[in-house]
Amino acid sequence: MKRRVLVLLGLLLAVVAFSGCTSYSSETTSPTTSIQESPKELGEWKADGIIDEKEYAHELSLAGGKLIVYWRNDDEYLYMALKGQTTGWVAIGFEPTQSMKDADMIFGWVKDGEVTVLDLYSTGTYGPHPPDENLGGTNDILEYAGKEESGYTIIEFKRKLNTGDQYDKAFVRGQTIKFIFAMADDDEFTLKHNVARGSGELVLD
């Protein structure tokens, strides 16, 4: 009888322990919540801060819908949009090795109608993430635009799959790309994310 009680107690403790592992804080979310399949035909991509119905092949909803990542690609270029439920900055970091370290990062925000999009690289586990140019690299954002409206910030940008810059990740068609993301309610990109953060994966066509 005593042994049976101990076994039941052990099982109960195990259930409680594993239940704790499945929860996430308000800042960290599960990687993916929804993916939209590629439509048969895509429209023209424009860097204008407006996400048209057929402008992107895929979309991924993160952080309970607080951030949506849109993307498409061809043989040479990656086209992407970030739509965040914030009036501050939104950011994505490609292929980190540990936490933020070695992430190829894009930060963007809109302030007083002026759009800023930065090509950055995280040199440490928790930053800093200076511009590529400060490290001897290059700014490889070829086109960008943004819009802030009704509590949302949209950033669109275009870059080569392989920029040739050592501080940018080189991508190929069909690749699965791991990424981290973050958002803040301020337009100062040196401030810590305080709206949402997490990780996910996307697959190139």
Side-chain angles (χ1 to χ4, degrees):
M1 181 67 179
K2 185 177 180 180
R3 183 179 179 183
R4 184 178 180 185
V5 171
L6 289 174
V7 171
L8 289 173
L9 181 60
L11 288 172
L12 178 61
L13 290 173
V15 169
V16 172
F18 282 105
S19 295
C21 292
T22 61
S23 63
Y24 291 86
S25 71
S26 59
E27 290 188 331
T28 305
T29 64
S30 54
T32 60
T33 54
S34 65
I35 297 179
Q36 177 177 296
E37 293 300 322
S38 175
K40 292 181 179 180
E41 293 185 10
L42 290 174
E44 181 183 2
W45 182 84
K46 294 180 181 179
D48 56 9
I50 300 172
I51 299 172
D52 291 328
E53 183 179 355
K54 292 187 177 182
E55 189 171 11
Y56 293 95
H58 307 278
E59 67 179 72
L60 179 61
S61 179
L62 300 150
K66 289 182 180 179
L67 178 70
I68 302 177
V69 179
Y70 300 84
W71 74 96
R72 66 189 284 181
N73 68 276
D74 52 31
D75 289 334
E76 189 173 4
Y77 299 105
L78 170 67
Y79 310 84
M80 182 167 281
L82 306 175
K83 181 180 180 180
Q85 191 175 349
T86 181
T87 55
W89 55 258
V90 295
I92 190 167
F94 301 117
E95 296 289 346
T97 56
Q98 181 184 3
S99 297
M100 293 171 59
K101 184 172 174 56
D102 301 318
D104 171 11
M105 309 185 83
I106 308 294
F107 271 70
W109 65 86
V110 181
K111 185 175 183 179
D112 300 326
E114 184 175 343
V115 184
T116 300
V117 176
L118 301 176
D119 183 5
L120 312 173
Y121 185 84
S122 183
T123 58
T125 305
Y126 302 107
H129 37 70
D132 290 7
E133 294 167 297
N134 291 4
L135 299 170
T138 55
N139 179 1
D140 293 292
I141 305 301
L142 301 176
E143 296 181 50
Y144 68 87
K147 188 175 184 180
E148 187 178 288
E149 188 175 63
S150 303
Y152 285 85
T153 294
I154 295 174
I155 296 296
E156 293 187 292
F157 64 90
K158 170 186 175 181
R159 56 155 280 184
K160 285 188 173 183
L161 294 180
N162 186 352
T163 68
D165 183 354
Q166 64 177 316
Y167 298 107
D168 292 328
K169 303 296 181 176
F171 304 135
V172 295
R173 299 197 72 163
Q175 180 178 347
T176 297
I177 300 172
K178 295 181 179 181
F179 65 85
I180 54 176
F181 68 88
M183 298 191 298
D185 59 6
D186 196 280
D187 291 324
E188 177 54 62
F189 85 99
T190 58
L191 295 180
K192 188 176 180 180
H193 44 73
N194 57 6
V195 175
R197 66 180 175 88
S199 61
E201 292 183 352
L202 61 84
V203 181
L204 298 180
D205 289 327

